[in-house]
Amino acid sequence: MSKKVRKRRGDRYDATRVKMPNDLGALFPYLMKGRNDSIAYFPFTIDVENLLDYMEKHKGTDKEITIFQTVLLALLKVLRERPNLNRYIIGRRMYQRKNVVFSFIARRKMEEDSDETNVLVTIKPEDDRATVMAKLSGEIKVAKKGEVKDDEKLMALFTKLPRSLLRLAIRMLEWYDFYFDTPGFLRAVDPLRCSIYFANLGSVGLGAPYHHLFEWGTCSLFVCIGKIQPSVVVGEDGQPAVRKTMELRIALDERIADGYYDARALELLEKYIGDPSLLEDL
């Protein structure tokens, strides 16, 4: 039996502390105190013709996949290969997550007045593709059942407080989070304590907007997925061609990695979405 890894001083429940470099980057958490002081936007227009062919070819098989699942799997693979993007800054310190955590909104029914609920999926380093897909579908099924989840109970409790008490409670939680760690009752419940927060607006026929990052929690990346639509691109022969494309808009806390690292990681993302066969072996 393997020994349990002891938590080092300065680590958090979900991450280990990373020593800051002895350069200007070490001052970034002091010069750019919030995530939206440090935000960088990356717009993408990705050719999805190959992805759509792959989806049609593997429909009804164990390789069946949706657009949303493809983006999630591609980003999981990127974060495993470029782990610096799975970091966050809190308390002016940098931390490396132990797992990849995805968060997104799910509608309980595809109706205009349907309730929405948060879905939080924790993916461990040893999880393979089948395990990841099972976790995704399982969490979505739980969300669509309509039962009141733990995060909804917590939000209902907080919103019953008078404004003065609610402000005080939030300040106390932020103080504890800054100097110590995430309070126990927020762990595995708060959807803003994640690696990436997704907004799949393409599923309701919308384009991908630019979205801010949240100062609450520990989320360093926000990914908006837009609808698929025909676009004029430069073909392989150098001539204009009409191809089906998808917009992605990524908001990133630039304090967690340098621009070169980000650019190489996002090139991988485009590669994996463009060729989903590369996602068959995570």
Side-chain angles (χ1 to χ4, degrees), residues 234-245:
V234 178
E236 293 181 359
D237 58 358
Q239 298 300 311
V242 177
R243 304 275 291 181
K244 290 182 179 177
T245 63

Side-chain angles (χ1 to χ4, degrees), residues 35 97 192 194-197 213-214 217-222:
R35 294 188 185 94
R97 291 184 185 278
L192 297 181
C194 61
S195 306
I196 306 177
Y197 199 104
L213 294 171
F214 294 98
T218 58
C219 180
S220 297
L221 289 100
F222 197 110

Side-chain angles (χ1 to χ4, degrees), residues 45-58:
T45 300
I46 299 178
D47 187 322
V48 293
E49 291 275 2
N50 291 339
L51 170 57
L52 295 175
D53 290 343
Y54 182 94
M55 290 169 58
E56 183 63 29
K57 178 181 178 181
H58 295 288

Side-chain angles (χ1 to χ4, degrees), residues 31-246:
L31 301 175
M32 300 180 288
K33 300 179 180 64
R35 294 188 185 94
N36 289 295
D37 292 337
S38 318
I39 199 167
Y41 292 108
F42 294 89
F44 273 92
T45 300
I46 299 178
D47 187 322
V48 293
E49 291 275 2
N50 291 339
L51 170 57
L52 295 175
D53 290 343
Y54 182 94
M55 290 169 58
E56 183 63 29
K57 178 181 178 181
H58 295 288
K59 188 178 295 184
T61 72
D62 59 355
K63 295 181 182 179
E64 183 173 6
I65 198 168
T66 66
I67 294 289
F68 185 52
Q69 290 169 341
T70 300
V71 175
L72 265 64
L73 288 181
L75 278 160
L76 171 61
K77 192 171 178 67
V78 170
L79 263 58
R80 284 179 170 177
E81 296 179 13
R82 298 291 186 272
N84 288 11
L85 291 185
N86 198 20
R87 292 178 173 182
Y88 63 83
I89 287 178
I90 195 167
R92 310 286 186 261
R93 294 172 175 173
M94 183 183 290
Y95 296 90
Q96 178 73 54
R97 291 184 185 278
K98 300 172 184 175
N99 301 310
V100 173
V101 184
F102 290 152
S103 187
F104 52 90
I105 292 286
R107 296 184 71 84
R108 289 196 162 110
K109 295 180 181 179
M110 290 307 293
E111 299 173 358
E112 188 172 343
D113 58 349
S114 173
D115 292 335
E116 293 182 334
T117 186
N118 282 291
V119 178
L120 198 64
V121 183
T122 299
I123 301 167
K124 297 181 179 180
E126 65 269 21
D127 289 348
D128 59 13
R129 174 181 168 127
T131 303
V132 173
M133 295 290 275
K135 285 186 174 182
L136 286 172
S137 60
E139 292 294 340
I140 291 173
K141 285 179 182 178
V142 170
K144 289 182 177 292
K145 282 183 178 179
E147 299 175 0
V148 180
K149 295 164 53 251
D150 290 341
D151 62 314
E152 294 170 325
K153 293 176 183 177
L154 185 61
M155 285 186 283
L157 177 63
F158 271 93
T159 54
K160 288 179 181 178
L161 295 173
R163 286 180 297 174
S164 58
L165 289 180
L166 180 55
R167 288 179 62 193
L168 178 61
I170 295 298
R171 286 182 179 179
M172 290 177 65
L173 289 172
E174 287 177 332
W175 176 85
Y176 190 89
D177 211 8
F178 186 97
Y179 288 105
F180 300 103
D181 204 344
T182 301
F185 67 92
L186 289 176
R187 300 176 185 182
V189 174
D190 186 348
L192 297 181
R193 298 178 190 279
C194 61
S195 306
I196 306 177
Y197 199 104
F198 293 90
N200 185 18
L201 298 178
S203 64
V204 292
L206 295 177
Y210 292 96
H211 200 285
H212 62 86
L213 294 171
F214 294 98
E215 300 299 346
W216 175 267
T218 58
C219 180
S220 297
L221 289 100
F222 197 110
V223 176
C224 290
I225 306 169
K227 64 181 179 180
I228 292 176
Q229 57 188 1
S231 300
V232 177
V233 301
V234 178
E236 293 181 359
D237 58 358
Q239 298 300 311
V242 177
R243 304 275 291 181
K244 290 182 179 177
T245 63
M246 177 178 64

